[in-house]
Amino acid sequence: GYDDFLIGAEGNDYGGGGNAGQTYLILGKASGWAMDTDLSAADASFMGENGDDQSGTVSGAGDVNGDGYDDFIIGAVGDDDGGNMAGQTYLILGKASGWAMDADLSDADASFIGEGSDDYSGLAVSGAGDVNGDGYDDFLIGAEGNDDGGNNAGQAYLILGKASGWAMDTDLADADASFWGEDATDTAGVAVSGVGDVNGDGYDDFIIGANCDDDGGDNAGQTYL
């Protein structure tokens, strides 16, 4: 009944090596919060798999599998499983108990790997709400360096929630939908966010930022709804 929160530390060296990164989970409670609490006293933490993974971009994802527990995602922009700096995003499913410190992200419930080298997937991650009204929350993964729409046009991926079937090392080419930047060097996906239901039609909506888009001037940027 208490909401919880996440703190990313992408420069943490405790896991797979230098800059593997670590994410800390702080569970809500009625009282007892204090200043200057060391993150070693967090309720749980999740370490990057390898050095230079830079894990620690974090977001709540809502309840993606409909089990009544909220879930969260952790981006590791430096992960190389899909190629140098392809990036990887990990899904951690909520549960009643069993969290632990220093959990390796290789033990996540699912993960999503960038399509190619220098995609930088996972640099931006966000819950999207329930965009298709099926009762499962959905989430977004940005890959600002993706070249499908042109060199560094960028791409944002939409992952739809479901009851089961999540897997590790899912290629983002298998996402439920994706959105390319309009032109080379737009870096679409540098920022992604759910925004709730902006037009009152019962479906949640989301936005994708492309901070280097030139439509309004050199690198003026553009945000898409």
Side-chain angles (χ1 to χ4, degrees):
Y2 298 99
D3 287 329
D4 314 306
F5 61 94
L6 301 158
I7 299 171
E10 67 179 42
N12 183 276
D13 299 332
Y14 191 74
N19 294 327
Q22 189 159 185
T23 296
Y24 301 87
L25 174 64
I26 314 296
L27 297 178
K29 56 186 177 181
S31 62
W33 304 106
M35 292 292 290
D36 302 329
T37 301
D38 196 290
L39 283 172
S40 63
D43 295 283
S45 70
F46 306 86
M47 302 184 302
E49 294 189 74
N50 299 295
D52 295 322
D53 273 7
Q54 301 173 55
S55 66
T57 302
V58 296
S59 179
D63 183 3
V64 303
N65 62 340
D67 65 353
Y69 298 98
D70 285 329
D71 313 306
F72 57 94
I73 44 180
I74 299 170
V77 67
D79 184 271
D80 298 330
D81 286 2
N84 182 57
M85 298 291 290
Q88 187 164 184
T89 299
Y90 301 86
L91 172 64
I92 312 293
L93 297 176
K95 55 186 178 180
S97 62
W99 304 109
M101 288 293 290
D102 303 331
D104 196 289
L105 282 173
S106 63
D107 295 322
D109 295 285
S111 70
F112 304 85
I113 298 172
E115 293 190 75
S117 294
D118 298 320
D119 271 11
Y120 306 119
S121 71
L123 181 64
V125 298
S126 179
D130 183 4
V131 304
N132 60 341
D134 65 353
Y136 299 99
D137 285 325
D138 312 307
F139 58 94
L140 300 158
I141 298 170
E144 67 168 67
N146 182 273
D147 298 330
D148 287 357
N151 182 51
N152 290 334
Q155 190 162 183
Y157 300 87
L158 174 64
I159 312 294
L160 297 177
K162 56 186 178 181
S164 62
W166 304 105
M168 290 293 289
D169 302 329
T170 301
D171 196 298
L172 281 173
D174 297 322
D176 296 284
S178 69
F179 307 85
W180 292 346
E182 292 190 77
D183 300 296
T185 72
D186 273 7
T187 63
V190 67
V192 293
S193 182
V195 292
D197 181 5
V198 303
N199 61 339
D201 65 352
Y203 298 97
D204 285 326
D205 312 307
F206 58 93
I207 48 177
I208 299 168
N211 68 330
C212 292
D213 181 271
D214 297 328
D215 287 0
D218 185 44
N219 291 337
Q222 189 162 181
T223 300
Y224 301 86
L225 172 66

